């Protein structure tokens, strides 16, 4: 997909719905964040790197893409498996992406989950830090990111560690001060092909939504909630009332 196609969507809410901006190259797995002043932030995989482009005029023009995480030209994406982006109250930009940053690794090597941030409007970026504290356990590359007003990043992903007897579980970590905290394994087994979702309330408390996995032929949707900013979570609560009638 060309980045132009993405920017038609990103700009439509702010500018002429028929207008678009084209950035050279082929981009895939785009994600968009918008701050309170209408600045648009787009993260994408372009030329097999994790790049960010920004519009300060409500989608009329976009900056040249800047590398947020240097993926050594091996960033891959597809089927929800791409980077995520969020912006905090101070306009710091936060990006996560599933990558293998080992220069000697094969393109097909399992991904780890990485995080980087920019405090200067995307001009420069911090060194990427690994979010999953057990190597090789975020290989499914399905994850989500949300950021609270104070800049705390809340990241959840499908992890290969075992909870509840299944081969995949729901993992979560906060990133504060550029460092990922100890991972929490929240629930399991979870669907091996469904990305979790993360949202925050007005106090910065996360809720993580996921689809159950395992041998069930009728998988349901569950949520786990935190009342202390992500330090701990409730037991899973089922969300859907009717039966899904959908298996893995």
């Amino acid at each position: 997909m060309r980045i132009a196609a993405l920017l038609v969507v990103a700009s439509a809410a702010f500018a002429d719905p028929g207008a678009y901006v084209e950035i050279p190259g082929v981009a895939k797995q785009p994600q968009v964040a918008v701050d309170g002043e209408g600045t648009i932030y787009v993260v994408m995989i372009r030329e097999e790197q994790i790049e960010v482009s920004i519009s300060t005029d409500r989608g009329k023009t976009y900056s040249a893409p800047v590398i947020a995480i240097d993926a050594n030209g091996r960033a891959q994406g597809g089927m929800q498996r791409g980077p995520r982006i969020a912006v905090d109250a101070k306009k710091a930009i936060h990006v996560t992406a599933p990558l293998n940053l080992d220069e000697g690794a094969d393109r097909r090597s399992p991904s780890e989950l990485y995080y980087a941030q920019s405090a200067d409007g995307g001009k420069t970026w911090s060194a990427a830090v690994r979010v999953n504290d057990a190597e090789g356990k975020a290989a499914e590359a399905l994850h989500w990111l949300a950021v609270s007003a104070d800049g705390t990043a809340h990241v959840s992903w499908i992890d290969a560690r075992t909870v509840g007897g299944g081969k995949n579980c729901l993992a979560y970590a906060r990133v504060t001060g550029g460092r990922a905290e100890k991972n929490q394994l929240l629930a399991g087994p979870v669907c091996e092909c469904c990305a979790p979702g993360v949202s925050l309330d007005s106090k910065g408390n996360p809720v993580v939504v996921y689809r159950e996995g395992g041998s069930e032929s009728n998988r349901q949707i569950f949520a786990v909630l935190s009342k202390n900013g992500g330090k701990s979570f409730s037991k899973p609560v089922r969300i859907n009332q009717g039966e899904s009638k959908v298996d893995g």
Side-chain angles (χ1 to χ4, degrees):
M1 176 172 60
R2 300 190 71 178
I3 190 64
L6 162 68
L7 298 186
V8 169
V9 178
S11 303
F14 304 103
D16 178 357
Y20 70 92
V21 177
E22 183 172 347
I23 293 175
V26 177
K28 56 186 177 182
Q29 296 294 294
Q31 292 285 321
V32 177
V34 182
D35 69 22
E37 297 179 359
T39 300
I40 305 169
Y41 306 81
V42 184
V43 68
M44 69 199 89
I45 300 173
R46 193 181 77 98
E47 298 179 354
E48 297 186 306
Q49 298 281 33
I50 303 302
E51 298 187 341
V52 170
S53 178
I54 300 171
S55 173
T56 58
D57 55 11
R58 294 179 175 264
K60 295 178 181 178
T61 61
Y62 283 81
S63 64
V66 172
I67 294 176
I69 303 178
D70 186 349
N72 299 316
R74 291 196 304 275
Q76 303 293 313
M79 301 295 289
Q80 306 180 71
R81 293 166 174 86
R84 303 287 182 258
I85 191 167
V87 185
D88 65 31
K90 294 183 178 180
K91 290 197 171 186
I93 311 168
H94 307 254
V95 165
T96 51
L99 300 165
N100 190 313
L101 300 185
D102 182 353
E103 292 185 4
D106 184 89
R107 289 175 180 269
R108 295 168 292 181
S109 298
S111 297
E112 311 289 353
L113 185 55
Y114 285 93
Y115 163 92
Q117 66 171 302
S118 174
D120 60 5
K123 296 177 183 177
T124 61
W125 290 82
S126 67
V129 297
R130 198 177 77 191
V131 178
N132 53 299
D133 57 19
E135 185 176 355
K137 299 300 183 180
E140 194 60 54
L142 291 165
H143 79 287
W144 207 261
L145 164 71
V147 174
S148 57
D150 67 1
T152 300
H154 303 263
V155 189
S156 185
W157 66 97
I158 303 303
D159 193 283
R161 284 170 279 190
T162 299
V163 174
K167 66 178 183 178
N168 292 296
C169 73
L170 180 71
Y172 164 88
R174 302 192 309 177
V175 183
T176 58
R179 298 183 63 180
E181 297 182 354
K182 180 178 175 59
N183 296 174
Q184 297 183 56
L185 306 182
L186 302 180
V190 298
C191 180
E192 62 277 5
C193 58
C194 302
V198 183
S199 186
L200 304 171
D201 67 16
S202 60
K203 297 181 180 179
N205 294 315
V207 54
V208 184
V209 180
Y210 67 96
R211 183 170 178 243
E212 69 177 340
S215 59
E216 291 85 351
S217 60
N218 194 13
R219 294 181 177 181
Q220 311 304 335
I221 307 300
F222 285 83
V224 288
L225 301 90
S226 175
K227 295 183 179 180
N228 54 12
K231 295 178 181 178
S232 62
F233 286 81
S234 68
K235 293 182 179 180
V237 178
R238 181 172 161 176
I239 300 299
N240 60 313
Q241 298 301 310
E243 299 298 317
S244 70
K245 299 182 180 179
V246 177
D247 60 17

